[in-house]
Amino acid sequence: MSEKNDNKQGKDFNAASESESRSNFIVEIIERDLETGKWDGRVATRFPPEPNGYLHIGHAKAICLSFGIAKEYGGTCNLRFDDTNPSKEDTEYVESIKEDVSWLGFDWEDRLFFASDYFKTMHEYAVKLIEDGKAYVDSLSAEETAEYRGDYKRPGKNSPYRDRSVEENLDLFSRMKSGEFEDGAHLLRAKIDMASPNMNMRDPAVYRIRHASHHRTGDEWCIYPMYDWAHGLEDSIERITHSLCTLEFENHRPLYDWFLEQLDVYHPQQIEFARLNLSYTVMSKRKLLDLVNEGLVNGWDDPRMPTISGFRRRGYTATAIRTFCDRVGVAKRDNTVDLALLEHTIREDLNETSPRVMAVLDPLKVVIDNYPEGESEEFEAPYFPGQEEKGTRAIPFSREIFVERGDFREEAPKKWHRLAPGKEVRLRYACLITCNEIIRNDDGEVTELRCTWDPESRGGTSPDGRKVRGTLHWVNAATAVTAEVRLYDRLFNVINPLAVEDGHSFVENINPSSCEVLTRCLAEPSLAGAKPESRFQFERIGYFCVDRYDSTDDKLVFNRTITLRDSWAKIEKKLGGK
RNA sequence: UGGGGCGUAGGCUAACGGUAGGCCCCGGGUUUUUGGUACCCGUAAUUGCAGGUUCGAAUCCUGCCGCCCCAGCCA
């Protein structure tokens, strides 16, 4: 424990950001349990998704928590699929979930489990519950069941079938299992208390009839366990110590405890924490599914989605996501974390790990009049300026180059350091050039800039010490490779997309310019053949990732992960405002 | 309305009866061949409100107020 505290105060922020677990109420419980020997010194957690959708950043928090705690305390964390509802689940989802957890950097080793692995055991325990007189087969319709349950104000009333004999219950349950009845004809219920103020305790359903093919057990079963029955048993069977879940299950804990007590089996502790909400996006599987189904995004792994696979495709790193999850902390109060924190974490990681290269998104031709035609030369540029030992590459240079159209202004505003008539700027790693003339087409649009260079400034240095504030990125016309660049921005343009008036849908809050595709971008030749998922910083623009699906050697496709901070934009905004 | 939770700067979070700390955002500055990074400085919380206990309260007690969850044969 003291070692942890020392760590927290240490100066090694890199190490801290990777694995430091900050103080939170769950860690406190675990440390206390470790001290008292409550679980014989074991720490066993689990991450139990239902395979009915893709994992999102909220799940990442849960994964980092459960796997992270197991790792930190020398325990284990199981990956367990809670596949108790065959009509919603699919192997496509289990595959994607496994890939995402593993990509995030966590290893379940040989502890991959499925609730469906325990169907037989769960059924046996259900029989035991019936034998003990603690469960009965109800034959009310779904509507009647709801009516009998009562509401917050009124207690429920007992079903007329509640007092069936153990023999009759056993017989009916067995016939439910053998497929004799239609869906909904009967329901196995726990006999608890129809007047409980906790609705979950009003004779909750244990097994329902569902004639559906299960993605793993096929048609072996036509009755399936309910979450409350299944989950505690799964935890118990796997000898979980701390069963971490989100706040909405708080009301289920009495039931979780009740079942395990009645069965007199190993009994883990359920602990609830607040789920993660992120500004400018939605986190519910249902809403994300809507976006996918309505074609508002290109699938679950669209780079604008808050899914793990979407973030991955966008270029976010697993390290950054883990760091983010660590920084948001774990507590019990509802929260909405600022997207800016995620973005900061991504930039922080990418800044350290991404090689710098040059690419021009919106090219404007520049001809250097005093550079001899037909000649060329190369400049050596480091991938990590200031850390030349990490490698360099040659950048060709000649008479015709391209710069960013946005880096030129016919009339330079105040504090403008970039290109404008008569102004001298530096071409990064290359030289100093001065703009002399503007060439236009018939429509008056600027199509070309005529400049001169100072041959003494080779490498970009100022030969006489004259001050040149502006440094531009550029590419050599003859050797540039073309690329498609997809500029992604936040999917929604309001902090809380779900806050809409009646009759309106959250999709109305979608940011219409959340994806802009540029097809005629020009990149330096070293980028030719860049491997899928490799990441770069395009100097002065942002971080980009080679699309893992659409990019080929013939056609490069980059996704913008995140822009660089743009303090000029702030300055200009301020100037404009005055 | 019954029950279960939760209220600490704009957003997250720490503090475990000893006098509110950190990160993000925001503002200013230094360095800079990225208007990036790094570094420095700064703004901002009478801890939801009102009482009480105590030498001392964000922490304990009481009462209010506000927000979230629960009436699936979903998880």
Side-chain angles (χ1 to χ4, degrees):
Chain A
M1 202 158 66
S2 66
E3 188 186 326
K4 230 167 69 64
N5 288 335
D6 291 343
N7 246 339
K8 202 189 301 189
Q9 280 144 17
K11 290 264 163 84
D12 190 348
F13 293 113
N14 289 329
S17 69
E18 177 60 271
S19 64
E20 170 197 351
S21 130
R22 37 191 75 208
S23 168
N24 66 57
F25 76 101
I26 295 179
V27 160
E28 278 178 23
I29 291 171
I30 285 171
E31 291 190 348
R32 190 186 356 96
D33 288 351
L34 250 19
E35 269 170 38
T36 62
K38 182 175 176 186
W39 308 98
D40 302 324
R42 297 163 51 237
V43 173
T45 59
R46 101 270 94 114
F47 173 63
E50 180 188 18
N52 67 343
Y54 280 62
L55 260 25
H56 54 61
I57 186 73
H59 294 107
K61 173 179 177 178
I63 293 167
C64 291
L65 215 213
S66 284
F67 275 96
I69 277 176
K71 188 173 182 183
E72 177 150 3
Y73 293 95
T76 55
C77 180
N78 303 348
L79 174 59
R80 179 173 73 223
F81 287 94
D82 212 353
D83 54 350
T84 57
N85 184 355
S87 40
K88 286 191 175 182
E89 299 151 7
D90 196 277
T91 38
E92 175 199 348
Y93 297 125
V94 346
E95 290 314 311
S96 77
I97 289 169
K98 281 159 71 176
E99 184 177 358
D100 288 345
V101 172
S102 155
W103 177 79
L104 259 187
F106 296 102
D107 185 1
W108 55 86
E109 298 173 330
D110 58 348
R111 297 179 310 278
L112 172 64
F113 302 114
F114 291 84
S116 52
D117 290 340
Y118 313 136
F119 279 173
K120 190 162 179 289
T121 311
M122 290 175 184
H123 176 263
E124 286 165 5
Y125 276 122
V127 169
K128 179 174 189 290
L129 204 63
I130 296 173
E131 287 169 346
D132 292 347
K134 293 167 182 166
Y136 62 98
V137 172
D138 198 357
S139 305
L140 250 27
S141 70
E143 299 71 45
E144 291 169 320
T145 308
E147 207 177 301
Y148 273 69
R149 185 157 25 233
D151 56 34
Y152 300 143
K153 190 71 188 221
R154 280 176 296 278
K157 38 179 198 187
N158 290 168
S159 164
Y161 303 100
R162 197 174 199 258
D163 295 317
R164 290 215 257 229
S165 69
V166 168
E167 292 67 34
E168 188 182 4
N169 283 324
L170 251 15
D171 173 62
L172 282 168
F173 188 50
S174 140
R175 287 158 64 193
M176 279 169 65
K177 176 172 179 283
S178 63
E180 190 174 318
F181 308 117
E182 297 291 293
D183 286 9
H186 302 284
L187 179 71
L188 183 70
R189 293 230 256 170
K191 193 185 286 186
I192 306 181
D193 177 10
M194 287 306 289
S196 172
N198 181 344
M199 304 297 285
N200 294 122
M201 302 299 274
R202 319 247 264 225
D203 288 11
V206 175
Y207 264 93
R208 79 284 216 177
I209 301 171
R210 189 84 110 223
H211 291 274
S213 232
H214 186 279
H215 64 100
R216 292 189 77 243
T217 59
D219 297 320
E220 186 184 344
W221 296 86
C222 64
I223 55 172
Y224 292 92
M226 297 292 292
Y227 165 84
D228 288 299
W229 176 249
H231 205 90
L233 283 174
E234 294 156 19
D235 285 345
S236 178
I237 292 166
E238 292 174 17
R239 297 186 71 75
I240 298 303
T241 56
H242 305 269
S243 180
L244 313 181
C245 62
T246 43
L247 246 31
E248 65 268 29
F249 292 103
E250 227 159 9
N251 295 329
H252 292 248
R253 188 174 358 115
L255 184 51
Y256 180 102
D257 291 335
W258 190 88
F259 279 138
L260 296 179
E261 270 163 33
Q262 301 311 309
L263 264 13
D264 194 26
V265 293
Y266 175 86
H267 190 157
Q269 180 184 3
Q270 173 179 306
I271 303 169
E272 311 85 9
F273 62 91
R275 68 188 318 147
L276 171 73
N277 293 296
L278 241 198
S279 59
Y280 296 100
T281 192
V282 295
M283 211 66 92
S284 94
K285 272 188 193 173
R286 180 62 218 279
K287 294 285 190 295
L288 295 176
L289 185 61
D290 286 348
L291 293 173
V292 173
N293 288 342
E294 292 176 32
L296 297 164
V297 295
N298 301 313
W300 286 97
D301 63 353
D302 184 296
R304 292 165 293 177
M305 290 283 270
T307 53
I308 294 176
S309 52
F311 281 149
R312 174 181 179 179
R313 191 166 178 194
R314 169 98 169 232
Y316 286 18
T317 62
T319 303
I321 293 174
R322 275 185 266 119
T323 302
F324 170 73
C325 290
D326 181 54
R327 285 192 187 155
V328 300
V330 179
K332 295 197 76 156
R333 61 173 95 158
D334 294 330
N335 62 82
T336 301
V337 174
D338 193 341
L339 219 212
L341 176 59
L342 212 211
E343 295 179 337
H344 171 265
T345 312
I346 300 302
R347 284 198 187 96
E348 180 181 58
D349 186 34
L350 257 18
N351 176 52
E352 280 179 27
T353 56
S354 301
R356 314 284 117 132
V357 295
M358 292 197 289
V360 175
L361 268 28
D362 185 11
L364 174 61
K365 190 178 188 182
V366 169
V367 176
I368 299 163
D369 285 319
N370 62 341
Y371 194 92
E373 272 183 78
E375 283 188 22
S376 69
E377 61 193 283
E378 288 182 334
F379 295 107
E380 190 178 2
Y383 279 116
F384 293 89
Q387 299 170 272
E388 327 269 307
E389 70 282 2
K390 287 190 172 177
T392 62
R393 81 289 188 194
I395 300 182
F397 175 75
S398 61
R399 191 178 148 89
E400 291 191 6
I401 62 166
F402 286 97
V403 299
E404 204 72 61
R405 184 169 287 272
D407 280 337
F408 171 76
R409 291 277 241 281
E410 287 193 62
E411 285 173 47
K414 254 186 196 148
K415 297 189 180 179
W416 179 259
H417 298 157
R418 282 111 102 142
L419 215 45
K423 281 208 70 167
E424 183 174 46
V425 298
R426 173 168 29 244
L427 295 179
R428 177 132 242 234
Y429 307 122
C431 61
L432 266 22
I433 61 168
T434 303
C435 176
N436 304 313
E437 191 187 342
I438 301 170
I439 312 287
R440 302 165 197 277
N441 63 13
D442 295 341
D443 298 327
E445 292 164 348
V446 177
T447 55
E448 185 182 320
L449 263 24
R450 309 294 286 205
C451 299
T452 50
W453 78 313
D454 178 355
E456 300 302 305
S457 67
R458 259 185 255 259
T461 55
S462 174
D464 54 3
R466 65 180 184 269
K467 211 170 187 179
V468 178
R469 308 270 313 254
T471 300
L472 270 44
H473 58 98
W474 56 279
V475 293
N476 183 44
T479 54
V481 294
T482 63
E484 173 175 321
V485 175
R486 300 169 180 171
L487 302 179
Y488 292 106
D489 201 351
R490 47 189 60 165
L491 221 203
F492 295 93
N493 48 29
V494 294
I495 291 180
N496 179 10
L498 260 25
V500 289
E501 288 177 28
D502 286 347
H504 291 265
S505 162
F506 75 103
V507 306
E508 292 169 43
N509 287 321
I510 286 181
N511 174 6
S513 44
S514 59
C515 175
E516 187 185 348
V517 180
L518 306 176
T519 55
R520 310 189 62 80
C521 304
L522 263 17
E524 63 167 81
S526 74
L527 250 15
K531 295 282 164 290
E533 296 206 276
S534 49
R535 302 181 178 87
F536 301 91
Q537 183 196 99
F538 290 176
E539 291 209 52
R540 301 212 309 131
I541 306 176
Y543 297 97
F544 294 78
C545 173
V546 179
D547 191 84
R548 56 190 293 222
Y549 299 123
D550 299 339
S551 193
T552 63
D553 284 348
D554 296 330
K555 187 199 174 199
L556 277 174
V557 178
F558 289 96
N559 297 327
R560 182 174 70 194
T561 308
I562 184 82
T563 61
L564 250 32
R565 273 215 174 71
D566 186 356
S567 54
W568 163 247
K570 278 184 194 170
I571 293 169
E572 192 173 31
K573 198 173 168 187
K574 220 186 297 173
L575 289 174
K578 278 174 187 169

